[in-house]
Amino acid sequence: LQEALKHRGFKPLDLKSSKHLADSLNATVDPKDEFFNILVRMMTTRCMQQAKYFASGEFNFADFRHYGLASDIYTHFTSPIRRYADDIVHRQLAACLGIQNLSENLTDKEKLHDLADNINYRHTQAQWAGRDSTNLHTGWFFKGKVAITEGYVMCKRENGIAVFTPKYGIEGVVWTQDEKGNKLTDRTFHVFDKVQVQISIQSDDTHRNKLVWALAEGTATGSSKDPPMEESKEPSAGRPLKRKAPSEGPSGAAAAVAAADSAPKKKKKKKLLPNT
């Protein structure tokens, strides 16, 4: 990520602290491209470890800080209808105020540890369910259509690039070489480059649909408006994704993380109140 910013003429992100990082992100703005800053923030966030719930009795006070929020101590205190972790915090606070008694599960460090682990597990499963739902509805949206739209290069590999399209909010792999290593384009790509891509659905003999990405050759890059969607004349429009990327696989999100491995791996922790 730092090298990509340098290539675009920006200063490297200041990683001394989360405050310095936030100031650097605020300064990384392209007046000619409003989405550029959002893109940089997306890639920076992907370089960070996911926040985890934990019991305060298991860590030193110095570990309570939340890197992303630049806060020395942090816990959830929002609407309890949103997260079970909020319910736990509210019950502990209510006990501290003498409003209600605290259950044994919230006074035992081992049980609270297991509870936090389960919350983390359920949170991860919910995220995967959300991604699967997005993939399902994306498939329905593009079924029988061919869309040409503008995207940004999030990561580049020897045989392909990961592209994010702001219009549809999705990311995919565009192959630049075929299975035999033959080049499919003479263009040299860099992270943050704008490209025109074609998105369509390809079906195989097992009736499993795949979203297929390809370069839209001959389409003017930087056009103000995307061409209208066209109905697909062939059920297998586009080139099938038969190969995996060299490392993480066809997931553009995973590829982008690898491209930005120079950013800090800071832990973002959300803490529960101390055991009473």
Side-chain angles (χ1 to χ4, degrees), residues 67-165:
Y67 180 82
L69 298 179
S71 176
D72 291 334
I73 184 170
Y74 174 80
T75 188
H76 273 168
F77 190 74
T78 57
S79 172
I81 64 173
R82 291 185 56 209
R83 292 169 293 214
Y84 185 60
D86 296 327
D87 279 335
I88 296 175
V89 174
H90 279 239
R91 291 168 185 172
Q92 291 178 321
L93 288 175
C96 292
L97 296 174
I99 299 175
Q100 68 180 40
N101 295 326
L102 198 61
S103 70
E104 181 183 351
N105 290 336
L106 300 184
T107 59
D108 186 286
K109 185 168 65 175
E110 292 184 2
K111 291 183 179 180
L112 198 57
H113 168 85
D114 294 339
L115 189 59
D117 281 351
N118 186 51
I119 292 175
N120 292 328
Y121 171 76
R122 296 299 179 183
H123 176 68
T124 301
Q125 294 301 304
Q127 287 184 318
W128 283 110
R131 294 173 186 175
D132 287 342
S133 176
T134 299
N135 292 335
L136 176 64
H137 287 82
T138 299
W140 285 343
F141 178 80
F142 285 103
K143 186 176 182 180
K145 302 181 181 71
V146 176
I148 296 178
T149 187
E150 184 177 80
Y152 292 82
V153 176
M154 300 285 284
C155 171
K156 65 175 183 177
R157 288 288 184 268
E158 181 179 354
N159 65 340
I161 54 176
V163 178
F164 178 83
T165 59

